[in-house]
Structures are given as structure tokens and as C-alpha cells.
């Protein structure tokens, strides 16, 4: 087996594992004690650098670890060390004639990592779509994946597996795939892809995705840009779904000088995310004057008395890292708008929070020194 063929097999394993970034693979190989630089890893996957056994086994193990970390472990047979050792040393694998008996004409053309995804297509008589996937796997995802997803959407088949192939594409490719799906009126597939990307992409990729949407010319890109912040915080969907590490996303937006978007995200976290997520995110920032900690907590009053009650209940019931319950409670009470302090106090009393209701009125009546 030549290096080029082995590199393609490694590339398919990488896609099957969730397409970890070069940075992810560098970190995972370092954890093994066999660190490979990002440039070296790129050379191995492209086939432009010789693949030694140690490199192959390190990358296979890194892909396996990444797949486990995202909750989609690879089948043991796909990461078997002896199998990959044989491939790397050009030792032929034993032929199993029984396996050929079960292959269909289409099945023979499908790379191993796609068989689990295309088998249902063949079972449903969608041989043409299975063939598109089989032939497209060696080409950029944006050139064939939208067609496959649109077909699955129309036939009401599950498409999460195909979406997972494209979560970690570049911002430009993600935008191209998303808008192409939307153009084919596959609304459910486009919506799930958008939400999955915003939930699972590395925080540093979120600003790139937002900017790519703004630079794109298709009409659907504007629509997804408008939904960007609400989707990040899981508006109207918590507690079932939410983006983890929102504090890191906020920092990434500020690093990219997307100040307006960062401010809107901080406010949306305070108003629309689950109470625990809002408090956890606020607690991830230092207690600085007019920092994102204060923006998140101060925005809570815009959700009305009900939102204040939710946050206070969470403070009472749970221990939140970085949050002092007493100080945070006082800040929340003091943030209630002057003209609505009586309404907020009444809601607290009705919820049995009499001490908090009295404290809110006292803070509202205080005259600044």
C-alpha cells in the first residue's frame, strides 16, 4: 500500500470521527506523548509526507479519542491497532470471501466509513442518493452533502449522521453547506445543521461563522445571521438544549472586535438562557465594573419579574462556581428598574420571597451618596 492510499484511509477515519481540527489532533497526540505539529499532521493527511507506523497509530488513536469526547465513539474494528499497523507496513489483510457475498453493487463503491450512513438509504431504495454520497466523499462536502441532506429531509429520514460529518468544516464551507441546504427548501435539515454547528463548533470558530454569514450573498445567510444570538443561547428551548462554554464564545467575539454582537450575546444570556447557564456564564468573568458579568446579571430584569424569580430560585438551590449568592442576589435586586420596583416586589411576595421583596424596595428607595 502506498502513502497516498493510506493517507486517504486516514482522512476517511478523521471524517468518521467528527472531523477534528488540526489543533485538536495536535493536542490529542501530545496527550499520548507522541506529539505531532499541525503542519506535520496536515502533511500526513495530504499524503505529502511519509507515513511511519508511529504516525499512523498516533493519528488513529487521536481520532478515536476525539470521537469518544463528542459522544460518538468509533467501532473498535475501525481503530484496531493491528489492522492499522498492517496497513502502515504494507502487509495485506486476509481476504474474507463471505463479506463479498453480502455486498450489493452499490455497497462495493462506498468507503467503509460511509457504509453505516448509506445502508439505510439502500434499504429505502434511495440508491441514487447513496451513490452521490459514495462518489462525493473524496470531494468537498459543500459539493454533494446539501443534495443528500435535502433528499433525506424530503423523505423524512434521519440525517443527523450526515450532519455530523460537516460540523467542523471551515466557516466558509459551513456557510456554503448551510445556505445550499436552505436553497433546496430542506428547512428541517438546514435548521438542525445550523443549531448543531452553533452548539458544537469550537468557541474560536463562532465569530468566523458569523462573519462568513455576513459576507455571503445568498438571501438565507441574512436570515441565519438574524437568528445567530438567539440560537446560541437556546432561546425558547432551554433546558433541553444550550450552547456550552458561552463565556468562551463571548471572549472570542470580543477578541474579534465584534463588540456589538458580544454585548447582545451577554444581554441574551441574562434574559433568555436557562437560569443556571446565565449564572455560570456570569461567574466565569471577574467581578469588574461594567464587565460581562454585570452585563449578564443587569440584563435579567428585562425578562420581567418571572425571570428574576427564576434566577433567585437557582441561587437558592444550586452552588454556582464564581458566584457569591448574597452579593449576586443584592446586585439582581438593585438592578430592577426604578419605575417597576413595586411590581417586582409584589411578584417576589407572591412567590413567598418576602425578605427579598423587602430588600428590593429598600434598595430602590436608597439615595445615592
Amino acid at each position: 500500500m502506498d502513502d497516498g492510499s493510506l493517507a486517504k484511509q486516514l482522512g476517511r477515519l478523521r471524517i468518521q470521527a467528527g472531523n477534528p481540527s488540526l489543533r485538536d489532533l495536535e493536542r490529542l497526540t501530545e496527550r499520548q506523548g507522541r506529539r505531532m505539529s499541525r503542519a506535520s499532521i496536515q502533511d500526513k493527511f495530504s499524503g505529502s509526507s511519509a507515513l511511519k507506523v508511529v504516525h499512523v497509530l498516533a493519528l488513529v488513536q487521536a481520532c478515536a479519542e476525539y470521537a469518544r469526547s463528542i459522544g460518538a465513539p468509533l467501532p473498535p474494528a475501525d481503530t484496531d491497532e493491528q489492522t492499522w499497523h498492517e496497513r502502515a507496513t504494507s502487509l495485506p489483510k486476509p481476504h474474507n470471501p463471505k463479506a463479498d457475498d453480502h455486498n450489493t453493487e452499490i455497497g462495493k463503491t462506498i468507503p467503509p466509513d460511509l457504509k453505516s450512513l448509506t445502508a439505510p438509504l439502500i434499504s429505502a431504495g434511495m440508491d441514487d442518493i447513496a451513490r452521490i454520497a459514495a462518489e462525493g466523499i473524496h470531494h468537498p462536502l459543500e459539493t454533494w452533502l446539501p443534495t443528500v441532506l435535502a433528499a433525506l429531509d424530503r423523505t423524512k429520514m434521519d440525517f443527523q449522521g450526515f450532519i455530523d460529518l460537516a460540523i467542523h468544516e471551515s466557516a466558509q464551507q459551513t456557510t456554503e453547506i448551510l445556505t445550499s441546504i436552505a436553497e433546496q427548501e430542506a428547512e428541517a435539515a438546514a435548521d438542525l445543521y445550523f443549531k448543531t454547528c452553533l452548539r458544537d463548533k469550537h468557541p474560536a470558530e463562532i465569530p468566523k461563522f458569523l462573519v462568513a454569514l455576513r459576507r455571503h450573498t445568498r438571501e438565507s445567510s441574512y436570515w441565519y445571521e438574524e437568528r445567530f444570538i438567539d440560537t446560541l443561547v437556546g432561546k425558547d428551548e432551554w433546558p433541553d438544549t444550550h450552547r456550552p462554554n458561552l463565556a468562551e464564545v463571548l471572549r472570542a467575539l470580543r477578541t474579534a472586535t465584534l463588540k456589538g454582537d458580544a454585548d447582545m450575546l451577554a444581554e441574551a444570556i441574562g434574559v433568555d438562557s436557562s437560569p443556571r447557564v446565565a449564572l455560570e456564564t456570569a461567574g466565569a468573568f471577574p467581578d469588574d465594573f461594567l464587565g460581562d458579568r454585570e452585563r449578564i446579571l443587569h440584563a435579567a430584569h428585562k425578562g420581567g419579574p418571572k425571570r428574576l424569580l427564576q434566577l433567585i430560585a437557582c441561587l437558592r438551590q444550586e452552588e454556582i462556581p464564581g458566584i457569591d449568592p448574597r452579593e449576586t442576589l443584592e446586585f439582581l435586586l438593585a438592578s430592577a428598574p426604578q419605575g417597576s420596583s413595586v411590581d417586582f416586589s409584589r411578584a417576589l411576595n407572591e412567590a413567598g420571597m418576602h425578605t427579598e421583596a423587602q430588600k428590593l424596595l429598600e434598595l430602590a428607595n436608597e439615595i445615592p451618596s
Side-chain angles (χ1 to χ4, degrees), residues 9-81:
Q9 291 192 37
L10 280 172
R12 289 196 291 268
L13 182 71
R14 179 185 179 187
I15 293 173
Q16 187 182 357
N19 206 13
S21 67
L22 296 177
R23 184 186 297 275
D24 291 326
L25 292 171
E26 180 184 44
R27 174 177 53 80
L28 290 167
T29 56
E30 183 174 16
R31 184 183 298 174
Q32 300 172 31
R34 298 186 285 193
R35 182 182 178 276
M36 299 170 63
S37 69
R38 276 171 274 176
S40 175
I41 294 170
Q42 179 62 54
D43 288 344
K44 304 306 177 188
F45 280 113
S46 68
S48 60
S49 177
L51 278 164
K52 297 180 181 179
V53 174
V54 65
H55 299 148
V56 172
L57 297 182
L59 291 173
V60 169
Q61 184 177 333
C63 287
E65 289 185 17
Y66 183 84
R68 285 194 295 271
S69 74
I70 63 174
L74 296 171
D78 292 349
T79 57
D80 179 69
E81 187 168 310

Side-chain angles (χ1 to χ4, degrees), residues 113-292:
D113 49 304
L114 267 186
K115 283 188 177 180
S116 62
L117 296 179
T118 53
L121 299 179
I122 297 171
S123 298
M126 296 177 66
D127 295 3
D128 55 332
I129 303 301
R131 185 173 290 108
I132 289 173
E135 295 173 353
I137 194 62
H138 302 300
H139 301 281
L141 288 173
E142 62 268 27
T143 64
W144 62 273
L145 186 61
T147 299
V148 172
L149 288 173
L152 291 172
D153 192 334
R154 285 192 292 271
T155 54
K156 302 188 184 304
M157 294 179 68
D158 180 70
F159 39 69
Q160 182 67 62
F162 279 101
I163 280 178
D164 290 342
L165 290 176
I167 293 172
H168 300 292
E169 294 300 293
S170 70
Q172 290 74 22
Q173 287 176 298
T174 298
T175 301
E176 190 65 37
I177 292 168
L178 175 64
T179 54
S180 294
I181 300 170
E183 275 197 348
Q184 298 186 52
E185 298 182 355
E187 182 178 338
D191 192 50
L192 181 59
Y193 180 51
F194 181 60
K195 290 180 178 179
T196 305
C197 286
L198 285 188
R199 186 191 66 207
D200 294 345
K201 276 186 177 294
H202 190 280
E205 295 300 310
I206 298 301
K208 299 175 186 177
F209 186 20
L210 177 57
V211 170
L213 283 171
R214 287 173 174 164
R215 298 185 69 184
H216 208 272
T217 56
R218 286 180 178 161
E219 183 177 350
S220 57
S221 65
Y222 301 109
W223 189 75
Y224 284 109
E225 179 200 342
E226 289 295 314
R227 298 179 58 201
F228 206 88
I229 299 297
D230 287 348
T231 304
L232 273 174
V233 300
K235 184 178 181 180
D236 300 326
E237 295 187 21
W238 64 268
D240 298 317
T241 59
H242 72 275
R243 161 81 206 200
N245 52 36
L246 279 170
E248 294 304 313
V249 175
L250 257 175
R251 292 187 180 101
L253 289 170
R254 296 210 180 279
T255 298
T257 66
L258 292 166
K259 181 183 182 301
D261 298 294
D263 289 347
M264 285 192 292
L265 177 57
E267 182 172 307
I269 292 169
V271 178
D272 297 314
S273 65
S274 73
R276 181 172 181 86
V277 169
L279 292 170
E280 282 182 341
T281 307
F285 291 95
D287 192 7
D288 294 334
F289 181 65
L290 291 183
D292 280 320

Side-chain angles (χ1 to χ4, degrees), residues 319-364:
E319 184 176 337
I320 310 295
I323 289 291
D324 181 297
R326 184 185 60 80
E327 291 180 357
T328 303
L329 173 62
E330 185 162 330
F331 187 93
L332 289 170
L333 295 175
S335 297
Q338 285 286 333
S340 304
S341 57
V342 173
D343 293 334
F344 276 76
S345 178
R346 184 184 300 114
L348 289 169
N349 271 316
E350 290 174 354
M353 299 180 181
H354 307 299
T355 302
E356 289 84 352
Q358 180 61 34
K359 182 65 174 177
L360 187 150
L361 290 177
E362 291 174 1
L363 291 169

